[in-house]
Amino acid sequence: MAHSFHTSPEPRVIRAPARLSGRIRVPGDKSISHRSLMLSALAVGESRIEGLLEGEDVLATAAAMRAMGATITRGDDAVWRVHGVGVGGLLQPAQALDMGNSGTSTRLLMGLVASHAISATFVGDASLSGRPMGRVITPLAQMGADITAAPGGRLPLTVRGLVAAVPIDYELPVASAQVKSAVLLAALNTPGITRVIEPVPTRDHSERMLAGFGARLTVEQGPRGRVIALEGEAELRPQSIVVPGDPSSAAFWMVAASVVPGSEVVIENVGLNPTRAGLVTALRMMGADIEELDARTVGGEPVADLRVRHAALRGIEVPPDLAPSMIDEYPALFVAAAFASGATVARGAEELRVKESDRIAAMRAALEANGVTTEEHEDGLTVHGSGGEPIAGGATVATQLDHRIAMSMTVAALHARTAITLDDASPVATSYPAFYQQLAELSGETV
Ligand code: S3P
């Protein structure tokens, strides 16, 4: 196996540093990394990928694409090379596909398998096995795939693909880029035109990359929302891809530099696709000092370096329409809110309940235990801030197999009176293996 999953918890104690300063480069975007491996594996010929996120989630996708016939290697130059099998060419995997903690791998690969003449069983860790897959099963079943799942539409789950699958027009009932992408990936090997109607725009990396690989795809604004139409059976041409840095990973440093007095950090290579950059908007509304330097385009995506300096934050009502563009950043935002003056109210974010953990309940418990007052809502959280003072800290946090809870509470600990302990920091490896090393560098510790 190219990747390994956690077997034993790794507790970690986080103490507040004097300040954070320096420059760091965030790892490749997780969403884009998954898509780059999948589409390269479906192109005929060799694609190369630079800046791929080498976290456990993405390695799970790589292992699955290998199990279905692609040749995937990593050079000593950290460039990944993928020899694809062509759309329609995926092979029957010999064993169940181990998705680890990765919802994106699972849902997108279910789409790929749905229109191929293969069957695949998906298994995952306890967190992933509790997450709803019905949202993907419904449209893929309409396209003709035969899917059997554990009760409640959960993993373990088996998809038996259909050739030829049936094109559908599908209006997304939840704002989910994973559901959108699953249908579009299934559409690649489906004759005719498949349409996804998206009432609320979500991250558009799939659309951008599918077009880049030569798929015939149009995006239009219709009366019910964005209409993405993809013509199968597509032929994808191999590409050379540069993956921009992950704004969801940059989020932790944006918040950390904002809340730790005396800090100044330059975060290099941050992807700022408007469908992902909601946290920058929200933090600026709170009074954060975030400067964009050297704005440029990397791999078809807007990128900049961000200079973030400590600032006095104030509580806000987070506009609910920012939710899709910062859905993974709410745990970090709640930490920023814990140090603001006044209350921050975040509503309209009920999707947080079905992420790697129930992020509303998990962050509420973690913050409360460390001296922060909160009010839980079905669709969000209100956080009462310290007005810039350190929070009490001192408690142990249950990270619940959720990398973003672990990293967010690490940031909270950076301005706490007493150290905060994570019961298990190992989930950080799913999206950000170098996180603690970079924290040590910014804290001025020798590593
Ligand atoms: C992702 C979409 C989002 C996000 C996840 C990655 C993607 O999930 O939370 O971390 O790469 O498409 P949903 O589609 O469930 O909103």
PDB file of all heavy atoms in Angstrom, residues 130-150:
ATOM      1  N   GLY A 130     -19.376   6.883   8.646  1.00  0.00           N
ATOM      2  CA  GLY A 130     -20.581   7.488   9.208  1.00  0.00           C
ATOM      3  C   GLY A 130     -21.172   8.564   8.313  1.00  0.00           C
ATOM      4  O   GLY A 130     -22.204   9.146   8.650  1.00  0.00           O
ATOM      5  N   ARG A 131     -20.536   8.845   7.185  1.00  0.00           N
ATOM      6  CA  ARG A 131     -20.975   9.990   6.369  1.00  0.00           C
ATOM      7  C   ARG A 131     -21.977   9.562   5.300  1.00  0.00           C
ATOM      8  O   ARG A 131     -21.903   8.461   4.754  1.00  0.00           O
ATOM      9  CB  ARG A 131     -19.757  10.676   5.746  1.00  0.00           C
ATOM     10  CG  ARG A 131     -18.839  11.236   6.823  1.00  0.00           C
ATOM     11  CD  ARG A 131     -17.634  11.939   6.248  1.00  0.00           C
ATOM     12  NE  ARG A 131     -18.009  13.129   5.506  1.00  0.00           N
ATOM     13  CZ  ARG A 131     -17.148  13.864   4.815  1.00  0.00           C
ATOM     14  NH1 ARG A 131     -15.875  13.502   4.746  1.00  0.00           N
ATOM     15  NH2 ARG A 131     -17.547  14.935   4.172  1.00  0.00           N
ATOM     16  N   PRO A 132     -22.918  10.459   4.972  1.00  0.00           N
ATOM     17  CA  PRO A 132     -23.995  10.088   4.040  1.00  0.00           C
ATOM     18  C   PRO A 132     -23.519  10.012   2.594  1.00  0.00           C
ATOM     19  O   PRO A 132     -22.881  10.931   2.095  1.00  0.00           O
ATOM     20  CB  PRO A 132     -24.998  11.233   4.212  1.00  0.00           C
ATOM     21  CG  PRO A 132     -24.190  12.403   4.670  1.00  0.00           C
ATOM     22  CD  PRO A 132     -23.060  11.837   5.486  1.00  0.00           C
ATOM     23  N   MET A 133     -23.820   8.911   1.944  1.00  0.00           N
ATOM     24  CA  MET A 133     -23.484   8.740   0.533  1.00  0.00           C
ATOM     25  C   MET A 133     -24.740   8.763  -0.348  1.00  0.00           C
ATOM     26  O   MET A 133     -24.655   8.746  -1.559  1.00  0.00           O
ATOM     27  CB  MET A 133     -22.725   7.424   0.328  1.00  0.00           C
ATOM     28  CG  MET A 133     -21.395   7.383   1.055  1.00  0.00           C
ATOM     29  SD  MET A 133     -20.247   8.647   0.433  1.00  0.00           S
ATOM     30  CE  MET A 133     -19.257   8.948   1.899  1.00  0.00           C
ATOM     31  N   GLY A 134     -25.919   8.811   0.297  1.00  0.00           N
ATOM     32  CA  GLY A 134     -27.182   8.818  -0.452  1.00  0.00           C
ATOM     33  C   GLY A 134     -27.242   9.936  -1.477  1.00  0.00           C
ATOM     34  O   GLY A 134     -27.786   9.774  -2.573  1.00  0.00           O
ATOM     35  N   ARG A 135     -26.625  11.055  -1.150  1.00  0.00           N
ATOM     36  CA  ARG A 135     -26.639  12.207  -2.059  1.00  0.00           C
ATOM     37  C   ARG A 135     -25.934  11.915  -3.385  1.00  0.00           C
ATOM     38  O   ARG A 135     -26.196  12.585  -4.384  1.00  0.00           O
ATOM     39  CB  ARG A 135     -25.995  13.405  -1.352  1.00  0.00           C
ATOM     40  CG  ARG A 135     -24.626  13.061  -0.780  1.00  0.00           C
ATOM     41  CD  ARG A 135     -23.957  14.221  -0.068  1.00  0.00           C
ATOM     42  NE  ARG A 135     -24.677  14.697   1.095  1.00  0.00           N
ATOM     43  CZ  ARG A 135     -24.405  15.834   1.737  1.00  0.00           C
ATOM     44  NH1 ARG A 135     -23.426  16.613   1.302  1.00  0.00           N
ATOM     45  NH2 ARG A 135     -25.096  16.196   2.787  1.00  0.00           N
ATOM     46  N   VAL A 136     -25.024  10.947  -3.360  1.00  0.00           N
ATOM     47  CA  VAL A 136     -24.353  10.538  -4.603  1.00  0.00           C
ATOM     48  C   VAL A 136     -25.049   9.315  -5.210  1.00  0.00           C
ATOM     49  O   VAL A 136     -25.142   9.182  -6.434  1.00  0.00           O
ATOM     50  CB  VAL A 136     -22.865  10.205  -4.342  1.00  0.00           C
ATOM     51  CG1 VAL A 136     -22.113  10.016  -5.647  1.00  0.00           C
ATOM     52  CG2 VAL A 136     -22.211  11.288  -3.524  1.00  0.00           C
ATOM     53  N   ILE A 137     -25.534   8.435  -4.336  1.00  0.00           N
ATOM     54  CA  ILE A 137     -26.207   7.222  -4.821  1.00  0.00           C
ATOM     55  C   ILE A 137     -27.417   7.593  -5.682  1.00  0.00           C
ATOM     56  O   ILE A 137     -27.633   7.007  -6.751  1.00  0.00           O
ATOM     57  CB  ILE A 137     -26.643   6.335  -3.623  1.00  0.00           C
ATOM     58  CG1 ILE A 137     -25.406   5.825  -2.860  1.00  0.00           C
ATOM     59  CG2 ILE A 137     -27.520   5.177  -4.094  1.00  0.00           C
ATOM     60  CD1 ILE A 137     -25.721   5.086  -1.563  1.00  0.00           C
ATOM     61  N   THR A 138     -28.191   8.589  -5.258  1.00  0.00           N
ATOM     62  CA  THR A 138     -29.429   8.938  -5.974  1.00  0.00           C
ATOM     63  C   THR A 138     -29.172   9.276  -7.452  1.00  0.00           C
ATOM     64  O   THR A 138     -29.727   8.615  -8.332  1.00  0.00           O
ATOM     65  CB  THR A 138     -30.167  10.085  -5.246  1.00  0.00           C
ATOM     66  OG1 THR A 138     -30.459   9.628  -3.921  1.00  0.00           O
ATOM     67  CG2 THR A 138     -31.451  10.480  -5.953  1.00  0.00           C
ATOM     68  N   PRO A 139     -28.322  10.259  -7.763  1.00  0.00           N
ATOM     69  CA  PRO A 139     -28.142  10.551  -9.198  1.00  0.00           C
ATOM     70  C   PRO A 139     -27.436   9.425  -9.952  1.00  0.00           C
ATOM     71  O   PRO A 139     -27.770   9.158 -11.115  1.00  0.00           O
ATOM     72  CB  PRO A 139     -27.288  11.836  -9.203  1.00  0.00           C
ATOM     73  CG  PRO A 139     -26.650  11.897  -7.852  1.00  0.00           C
ATOM     74  CD  PRO A 139     -27.603  11.242  -6.913  1.00  0.00           C
ATOM     75  N   LEU A 140     -26.492   8.744  -9.313  1.00  0.00           N
ATOM     76  CA  LEU A 140     -25.767   7.683 -10.033  1.00  0.00           C
ATOM     77  C   LEU A 140     -26.699   6.503 -10.328  1.00  0.00           C
ATOM     78  O   LEU A 140     -26.583   5.855 -11.367  1.00  0.00           O
ATOM     79  CB  LEU A 140     -24.537   7.229  -9.250  1.00  0.00           C
ATOM     80  CG  LEU A 140     -23.464   8.312  -9.041  1.00  0.00           C
ATOM     81  CD1 LEU A 140     -22.289   7.748  -8.238  1.00  0.00           C
ATOM     82  CD2 LEU A 140     -22.986   8.909 -10.370  1.00  0.00           C
ATOM     83  N   ALA A 141     -27.636   6.233  -9.426  1.00  0.00           N
ATOM     84  CA  ALA A 141     -28.623   5.174  -9.686  1.00  0.00           C
ATOM     85  C   ALA A 141     -29.520   5.583 -10.854  1.00  0.00           C
ATOM     86  O   ALA A 141     -29.876   4.753 -11.698  1.00  0.00           O
ATOM     87  CB  ALA A 141     -29.445   4.897  -8.429  1.00  0.00           C
ATOM     88  N   GLN A 142     -29.858   6.889 -10.910  1.00  0.00           N
ATOM     89  CA  GLN A 142     -30.662   7.357 -12.061  1.00  0.00           C
ATOM     90  C   GLN A 142     -29.922   7.149 -13.378  1.00  0.00           C
ATOM     91  O   GLN A 142     -30.527   6.925 -14.416  1.00  0.00           O
ATOM     92  CB  GLN A 142     -31.009   8.839 -11.913  1.00  0.00           C
ATOM     93  CG  GLN A 142     -32.104   9.117 -10.892  1.00  0.00           C
ATOM     94  CD  GLN A 142     -32.340  10.615 -10.691  1.00  0.00           C
ATOM     95  OE1 GLN A 142     -32.008  11.445 -11.540  1.00  0.00           O
ATOM     96  NE2 GLN A 142     -32.918  10.965  -9.546  1.00  0.00           N
ATOM     97  N   MET A 143     -28.614   7.210 -13.334  1.00  0.00           N
ATOM     98  CA  MET A 143     -27.818   6.996 -14.553  1.00  0.00           C
ATOM     99  C   MET A 143     -27.670   5.511 -14.869  1.00  0.00           C
ATOM    100  O   MET A 143     -27.127   5.155 -15.912  1.00  0.00           O
ATOM    101  CB  MET A 143     -26.444   7.666 -14.408  1.00  0.00           C
ATOM    102  CG  MET A 143     -26.552   9.185 -14.264  1.00  0.00           C
ATOM    103  SD  MET A 143     -24.960  10.017 -14.041  1.00  0.00           S
ATOM    104  CE  MET A 143     -24.372  10.087 -15.753  1.00  0.00           C
ATOM    105  N   GLY A 144     -28.090   4.650 -13.940  1.00  0.00           N
ATOM    106  CA  GLY A 144     -28.106   3.220 -14.234  1.00  0.00           C
ATOM    107  C   GLY A 144     -27.188   2.376 -13.380  1.00  0.00           C
ATOM    108  O   GLY A 144     -27.204   1.145 -13.490  1.00  0.00           O
ATOM    109  N   ALA A 145     -26.394   2.991 -12.516  1.00  0.00           N
ATOM    110  CA  ALA A 145     -25.499   2.198 -11.670  1.00  0.00           C
ATOM    111  C   ALA A 145     -26.320   1.452 -10.618  1.00  0.00           C
ATOM    112  O   ALA A 145     -27.369   1.925 -10.185  1.00  0.00           O
ATOM    113  CB  ALA A 145     -24.486   3.113 -10.977  1.00  0.00           C
ATOM    114  N   ASP A 146     -25.796   0.285 -10.250  1.00  0.00           N
ATOM    115  CA  ASP A 146     -26.447  -0.520  -9.217  1.00  0.00           C
ATOM    116  C   ASP A 146     -25.596  -0.380  -7.957  1.00  0.00           C
ATOM    117  O   ASP A 146     -24.424  -0.774  -7.944  1.00  0.00           O
ATOM    118  CB  ASP A 146     -26.494  -1.973  -9.724  1.00  0.00           C
ATOM    119  CG  ASP A 146     -27.042  -2.924  -8.674  1.00  0.00           C
ATOM    120  OD1 ASP A 146     -27.602  -2.441  -7.666  1.00  0.00           O
ATOM    121  OD2 ASP A 146     -26.882  -4.146  -8.856  1.00  0.00           O
ATOM    122  N   ILE A 147     -26.168   0.193  -6.923  1.00  0.00           N
ATOM    123  CA  ILE A 147     -25.366   0.516  -5.731  1.00  0.00           C
ATOM    124  C   ILE A 147     -26.015  -0.083  -4.488  1.00  0.00           C
ATOM    125  O   ILE A 147     -27.201   0.130  -4.239  1.00  0.00           O
ATOM    126  CB  ILE A 147     -25.233   2.043  -5.569  1.00  0.00           C
ATOM    127  CG1 ILE A 147     -24.625   2.639  -6.852  1.00  0.00           C
ATOM    128  CG2 ILE A 147     -24.375   2.393  -4.347  1.00  0.00           C
ATOM    129  CD1 ILE A 147     -24.543   4.146  -6.884  1.00  0.00           C
ATOM    130  N   THR A 148     -25.218  -0.852  -3.754  1.00  0.00           N
ATOM    131  CA  THR A 148     -25.709  -1.369  -2.473  1.00  0.00           C
ATOM    132  C   THR A 148     -24.834  -0.788  -1.379  1.00  0.00           C
ATOM    133  O   THR A 148     -23.600  -0.783  -1.483  1.00  0.00           O
ATOM    134  CB  THR A 148     -25.633  -2.904  -2.408  1.00  0.00           C
ATOM    135  OG1 THR A 148     -24.325  -3.306  -2.819  1.00  0.00           O
ATOM    136  CG2 THR A 148     -26.667  -3.551  -3.301  1.00  0.00           C
ATOM    137  N   ALA A 149     -25.486  -0.293  -0.327  1.00  0.00           N
ATOM    138  CA  ALA A 149     -24.759   0.392   0.743  1.00  0.00           C
ATOM    139  C   ALA A 149     -25.216  -0.131   2.090  1.00  0.00           C
ATOM    140  O   ALA A 149     -26.265  -0.763   2.201  1.00  0.00           O
ATOM    141  CB  ALA A 149     -25.010   1.897   0.655  1.00  0.00           C
ATOM    142  N   ALA A 150     -24.413   0.145   3.104  1.00  0.00           N
ATOM    143  CA  ALA A 150     -24.815  -0.150   4.485  1.00  0.00           C
ATOM    144  C   ALA A 150     -26.010   0.746   4.831  1.00  0.00           C
ATOM    145  O   ALA A 150     -26.238   1.758   4.166  1.00  0.00           O
ATOM    146  CB  ALA A 150     -23.639   0.094   5.416  1.00  0.00           C
TER     147      ALA A 150
END
